[in-house]
């Protein structure tokens, strides 16, 4: 094993609470896996201001800009990106990135349940409650060119009770995300 630092680019489109949690847990002294860049697909997303207050470099790459592979690759190379983590990233990842980088995503359900197109954010938690599920959770998986179909790396579950609402389910899922996602990222990319 070398002591090389592994630079992660975290891609997010929204609030960015996971991106912030990953930075807080991984960008600490002694950590070999670090967030060197946050990429937002929207300039007004919460994750952009979170990145600025954390002092982490942030670049906005819109859907139109992702169509330009060489411009996107130039941005990632500028930050010596070794791997990509998706944390609430709503665009389809272009195939040129899937071919070039190891990419990991977190999905807020126990895949293969409640995955696929349109299944993101509160849509997932609403579907879980409407289906009367007794458990939900998180799935951390590799990204391929199909939504939510890549190899599963890690899952953790939480109980859903009859009193739960989509919001309370979301809170339970966030707790699992904050607890496990940074350590799973460190484990995957440090090895
Ligand atoms: C998380 O629930 C994550 O699992 C999903 O999108 C949500 C992002 O939340 N992919 P946040 O922006 O990190 O607060």
């Amino acid at each position: 094993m070398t002591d090389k630092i592994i630079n992660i680019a975290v891609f997010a489109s929204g609030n960015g609470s996971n991106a912030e949690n990953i930075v807080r847990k991984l960008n600490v002294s002694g950590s070999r896996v670090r967030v060197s860049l946050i990429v937002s697909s929207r300039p007004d997303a919460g994750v952009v201001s979170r990145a600025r207050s954390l002092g982490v470099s942030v670049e906005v790459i819109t859907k139109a800009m992702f169509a330009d592979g060489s411009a996107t690759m130039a941005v990632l190379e500028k930050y010596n990106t070794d791997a990509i983590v998706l944390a609430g990233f709503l665009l389809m990842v272009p195939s040129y990135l899937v071919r070039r980088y190891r990419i990991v995503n977190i999905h807020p359900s126990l895949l293969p349940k409640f995955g696929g197109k349109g299944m993101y954010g509160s849509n997932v938690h609403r579907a879980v409650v409407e289906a009367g599920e007794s458990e939900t959770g998180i799935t951390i998986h590799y990204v391929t060119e199909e939504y939510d179909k890549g190899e599963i790396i890690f899952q953790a579950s939480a109980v859903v009770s009859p009193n739960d609402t989509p919001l309370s389910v979301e809170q339970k899922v966030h707790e699992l995300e904050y607890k496990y996602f940074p350590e799973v990222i460190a484990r995957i990319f440090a090895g």
Side-chain angles (χ1 to χ4, degrees):
M1 196 149 52
T2 69
D3 287 338
K4 180 186 179 301
I5 297 290
I6 308 295
N7 292 309
I8 304 284
V10 176
F11 285 27
S13 303
N15 178 25
S17 69
N18 275 282
E20 174 165 354
N21 180 56
I22 295 164
V23 170
R24 289 193 184 281
K25 300 264 172 66
L26 296 188
N27 289 17
V28 294
S29 117
S31 172
R32 284 188 52 230
V33 178
R34 291 167 165 271
V35 178
S36 56
L37 171 66
I38 290 180
V39 171
S40 173
S41 54
R42 289 183 19 222
D44 57 342
V47 71
V48 173
S49 43
R50 285 183 192 261
R52 294 205 170 110
S53 9
L54 289 162
V56 174
S57 300
V58 58
E59 298 272 357
V60 173
I61 308 183
T62 60
K63 187 172 183 181
M65 291 159 75
F66 271 111
D68 183 347
S70 51
T72 302
M73 292 295 280
V75 171
L76 295 175
E77 279 161 14
K78 181 174 152 198
Y79 295 90
N80 299 317
T81 303
D82 295 303
I84 295 173
V85 167
L86 311 182
F89 184 65
L90 296 180
L91 302 180
M92 185 77 187
V93 179
S95 1
Y96 63 82
L97 287 184
V98 177
R99 289 195 294 267
R100 167 65 182 78
Y101 290 103
R102 280 211 289 169
I103 309 179
V104 164
N105 179 43
I106 189 160
H107 185 81
S109 75
L110 295 170
L111 290 175
K113 285 184 159 187
F114 306 103
K117 208 163 168 42
M119 278 295 165
Y120 59 87
S122 55
N123 294 353
V124 176
H125 309 305
R126 200 175 317 111
V128 165
V129 169
E130 280 169 9
E133 294 289 304
S134 58
E135 64 168 6
T136 188
I138 58 169
T139 302
I140 298 170
H141 64 94
Y142 286 112
V143 171
T144 60
E145 292 182 37
E146 273 184 289
Y147 271 119
D148 301 335
K149 290 280 176 61
E151 182 196 335
I152 291 176
I153 303 161
F154 177 88
Q155 290 187 304
S157 60
V159 170
V160 178
S161 69
N163 299 331
D164 271 314
T165 62
L167 191 60
S168 66
V169 169
E170 182 172 4
Q171 284 161 353
K172 289 179 183 182
V173 167
H174 271 318
E175 275 174 35
L176 294 175
E177 292 173 339
Y178 301 153
K179 178 168 181 201
Y180 292 111
F181 201 19
E183 69 182 52
V184 173
I185 293 166
R187 183 153 49 77
I188 296 167
F189 296 118

